[in-house]
Amino acid sequence: MSNPSRQTVAWVLGLPALLLLLVFFFYPLLRIAGLSVSFPEMSWADYATVFSPVNRAITVRTFSIAGSITLITLLLAYPMAAFLNHAQGMAKKVAVLCVVIPFLTSFLVRSYAWVVLLGDEGAINSALLWLGLIEDPLELLYNRAGMTVGMVHIMLPLMALPIFASMRGIDPMQWRATQALGGGVLRSFFTVYLPQTFPGIRSGCTLVFILSLGFYITPAMLGSSRDLMLGNLIANNVETSTTYGLSAAIAFVLLAGTVLVFALLRRREPSPEPRPLVRFFTRMLGLGRLAVALSGRGWARGSGRAGGGGRFKPAWLLNAYGVLICLYLVLPSVIVVIASFNGQESLAFPPQEWSLRWYEFLLSDELWAEAGWLSLKVAVASTVLTMVLGTAVAYAIARLPGTRSGRVMYGMALAPMVVPSVVTALGAFAVLSDMGLFGTMAGVVIMHTCVSIPLVVVLMVAAFSSFDERLEMAAQSLGASRWRTFGRVVMPLVAASLLSALLMSFLHSFDEVVLTSFIAGTRMMTVPLKMYENIRNQVDPAIAALSSLLILIPFIVLALQALQRRRGPGDQAGALPGV
């Protein structure tokens, strides 16, 4: 019997994942659209409420906060990515770990870390009081400033890593060539370096902006009631109302704004010239003339035509900045670990009494044990399902490059990454309720699988695309079927990417709180849900102990990746940058 065609194999492999997404992701979005207009009555009353002065102000605030978080994160992440790119040896490894470990750490833990840092008895106020700089604690928590600090801390790795990946692909000889031709630092940066890093900037800004739009956990933990965002408004309406038309209308407005912004940010520009946005800021700020002037002075100084004193070396400034950002990323976790050994009933830093009582409490408490066991079961089940479906559709996409089928599959598989999590959660809430899966483990596992598939697809498409297809052809020429070739030749050679995808999928499911809070009901209490519930009620010292245990997970992930690379060369397509 002859082997099936490549197109047939691709569709057979990709169809299960696409069907799952159609039923549990795309259909819920249509369901939201229907609820927002009270289908089939077709009433626009809920949209009129959405655009009332109060809700319109919340909408504007949501997009402005997301925009400001994106801009601040970009300004902090770009020089940090440059520091990562120029660091060498052990310094580079340590710096990359300082970015990757927070990236792999639960965002709920990182938000809680800022509660410990910014509270009245937190590390910052305690240090200022001890130094005598203040007499009363500063109000650093439950305001816009505290919320911004926490959100930027969470988003910074998501911005820095794509930009770092773009910088790694730039030939260093280009920079030296511009210097040899008389280009100074600023002129070389704006005309040569910055345009080539624009793909990384665009990817980072897209991720940060979209995720910031759907945030409601971190604003609820660190912000005030005046900083209410659309995600918080949707969650509050679902909790307090039995009619979901208004929540659906809010979610649909949020979704429409997200798609519009995504389309603008992802628009392709084939011109090799500097991007319009770069040209605009260069012209408005006068950076072009300044760059030319400084370039001329630098060339004259370097050629001996101008006298002058010592030479300023920006590398020192870049290194100092990189160290500060590394401290900003890592210090909150360190403070939480120290605070977890507090022996008092209330959380304070530094601890007045040192004890392991809260670790003992976690290990002996039945409610925490049940939550941990449930989280583990959900994460394992969804990871297995995600790996099977995600790897299959990723292989199909990689084997249909440049075709319409491949583009359709890729777009559908990545769609859950584009839609704000609170919108996905509301749609899942409506559909799972109709199907009788609300509050069940099956429903939670299915939805965790849907939102985890994009992570596996991104990693595995890169791995399969970098795989030499001639090895498959050689195996088939020796009589192996397509299925035998896939199992015996392809899969072992992408083992490193498979491990990375498996670990990322597990972490994503174990850490999921927004989606789970909508669909788990009252009978299912995972670790993130119990953490969030306890944090909302009080700053429980037991959370610090649990957070310390969760901080260990990234180290375990990186250790497993290192062990996999040590056992064999494998593939590096799915490895984290610089790790």
Side-chain angles (χ1 to χ4, degrees):
M1 185 162 89
S2 61
N3 281 334
S5 67
R6 173 184 294 194
Q7 190 96 358
T8 301
V9 171
W11 276 107
V12 169
L13 290 174
L15 198 58
L18 299 183
L19 288 176
L20 183 74
L21 291 173
L22 280 173
V23 175
F24 292 100
F25 176 75
F26 290 102
Y27 171 65
L29 297 182
L30 291 177
R31 187 84 167 82
I32 290 176
L35 286 173
S36 67
V37 294
S38 301
F39 185 83
E41 287 79 8
M42 302 303 292
S43 169
W44 300 94
D46 289 318
Y47 282 97
T49 305
V50 171
F51 291 104
S52 65
V54 174
N55 289 330
R56 188 166 61 244
I58 296 175
T59 302
V60 173
R61 184 190 305 132
T62 298
F63 280 86
S64 64
I65 288 176
S68 64
I69 294 297
T70 303
L71 179 59
I72 295 171
T73 305
L74 175 60
L75 294 176
L76 293 176
Y78 197 94
M80 181 60 189
F83 169 72
L84 294 176
N85 192 45
H86 288 88
Q88 300 294 329
M90 183 58 65
K92 183 169 187 173
K93 293 181 180 179
V94 173
V96 172
L97 283 176
C98 289
V99 177
V100 171
I101 289 174
F103 172 71
L104 298 177
T105 304
S106 165
F107 83 92
L108 195 59
V109 171
R110 285 180 280 168
S111 298
Y112 175 76
W114 285 105
V115 174
V116 178
L117 272 168
L118 301 176
D120 290 344
E121 297 182 354
I124 295 178
N125 274 316
S126 297
L128 294 176
L129 288 169
W130 182 75
L131 293 172
L133 299 177
I134 58 175
E135 296 182 358
D136 297 311
L138 300 176
E139 294 184 3
L140 304 175
L141 197 59
Y142 308 126
N143 52 41
R144 178 70 65 87
M147 183 183 74
T148 301
V149 169
M151 291 181 69
V152 169
H153 180 265
I154 292 172
M155 295 298 177
L156 192 56
L158 293 174
M159 182 73 77
L161 290 176
I163 298 176
F164 173 43
S166 294
M167 290 180 176
R168 291 178 69 192
I170 300 176
D171 189 348
M173 294 303 296
Q174 295 183 19
W175 186 270
R176 298 174 186 173
T178 58
Q179 300 288 307
L181 294 173
V185 174
L186 285 178
R187 191 176 187 183
S188 301
F189 173 76
F190 281 106
T191 59
V192 177
Y193 202 78
L194 181 60
Q196 295 185 76
T197 60
F198 193 81
I201 294 174
R202 185 177 57 183
S203 298
C205 288
T206 302
L207 280 173
V208 171
F209 189 84
I210 289 174
L211 291 176
S212 297
L213 283 177
F215 259 44
Y216 88 85
I217 298 294
T218 301
M221 290 174 59
L222 303 178
S224 67
S225 58
R226 296 188 300 273
D227 298 317
L228 187 70
M229 298 176 67
L230 288 178
N232 304 96
L233 188 59
I234 293 172
N236 293 341
N237 285 336
V238 170
E239 291 178 359
T240 60
S241 176
T242 57
T243 57
Y244 307 112
L246 178 59
S247 298
I250 298 171
F252 201 76
V253 169
L254 180 59
L255 176 61
T258 302
V259 172
L260 178 61
V261 171
F262 179 79
L264 292 175
L265 290 174
R266 302 301 297 179
R267 186 179 59 183
R268 293 184 179 180
E269 296 179 25
S271 172
E273 297 296 323
R275 311 291 177 174
L277 188 61
V278 177
R279 291 200 302 267
F280 171 76
F281 280 108
T282 303
R283 189 181 303 115
M284 289 295 294
L285 299 176
L287 294 176
R289 295 188 190 129
L290 178 62
V292 172
L294 291 177
S295 297
R297 290 179 60 188
W299 180 82
R301 188 183 300 113
S303 60
R305 298 187 181 184
R311 219 171 158 188
F312 173 70
K313 295 185 178 181
W316 288 101
L317 183 61
L318 186 63
N319 291 338
Y321 178 84
V323 171
L324 289 176
I325 294 298
C326 287
L327 289 175
Y328 170 65
L329 290 172
V330 174
L331 189 59
S333 298
V334 174
I335 296 297
V336 168
V337 173
I338 296 174
S340 68
F341 295 100
N342 177 37
Q344 297 174 305
E345 292 292 335
S346 61
L347 186 64
F349 189 90
Q352 302 300 316
E353 299 177 12
W354 298 88
S355 173
L356 294 174
R357 60 175 296 189
W358 298 112
Y359 289 94
E360 297 173 356
F361 170 77
L362 287 176
L363 295 176
S364 60
D365 187 75
E366 293 184 2
L367 294 179
W368 279 112
E370 292 176 2
W373 179 240
L374 178 60
S375 293
L376 185 62
K377 289 193 294 184
V378 169
V380 169
S382 65
T383 299
V384 172
L385 192 57
T386 301
M387 290 301 299
V388 172
L389 299 179
T391 303
V393 73
Y395 182 79
I397 294 168
R399 291 299 171 256
L400 294 174
T403 64
R404 179 177 298 179
S405 299
R407 289 193 296 269
V408 170
M409 285 186 186
Y410 207 16
M412 292 181 64
L414 295 186
M417 187 180 291
V418 178
V419 178
S421 56
V422 69
V423 177
T424 303
L426 182 63
F429 173 78
V431 170
L432 294 181
S433 298
D434 294 342
M435 295 181 176
L437 294 175
F438 174 78
T440 65
M441 182 174 172
V444 174
V445 168
I446 289 172
M447 293 312 305
H448 280 206
T449 301
C450 289
V451 297
S452 298
I453 281 177
L455 298 175
V456 176
V457 168
V458 167
L459 290 171
M460 295 311 300
V461 165
F464 289 133
S465 298
S466 62
F467 176 79
D468 191 349
E469 195 174 353
R470 290 175 297 181
L471 296 175
E472 293 183 75
M473 297 171 63
Q476 292 178 39
S477 68
L478 294 174
S481 65
R482 288 188 182 273
W483 308 111
R484 188 177 181 85
T485 300
F486 181 77
R488 299 292 295 273
V489 177
V490 177
M491 297 303 287
L493 291 175
V494 294
S497 291
L498 281 171
L499 178 61
S500 296
L502 185 147
L503 294 173
M504 290 294 292
S505 177
F506 180 86
L507 287 174
H508 187 261
S509 177
F510 194 89
D511 184 41
E512 174 57 52
V513 61
V514 176
L515 180 61
T516 311
S517 65
F518 275 74
I519 63 176
T522 58
R523 293 176 296 176
M524 297 187 64
M525 184 63 68
T526 62
V527 168
L529 286 182
K530 186 166 177 56
M531 283 182 65
Y532 182 53
E533 180 184 358
N534 286 20
I535 292 172
R536 286 201 299 180
N537 295 331
Q538 60 178 337
V539 185
D540 189 353
I543 302 298
L546 178 62
S547 299
S548 300
L549 296 177
L550 294 179
I551 289 171
L552 291 176
I553 295 179
F555 292 95
I556 297 174
V557 169
L558 296 177
L560 289 174
Q561 282 193 325
L563 180 63
Q564 173 66 28
R565 288 197 300 271
R566 187 175 301 175
R567 286 182 175 179
D571 71 291
Q572 297 298 323
L576 291 168
V579 179

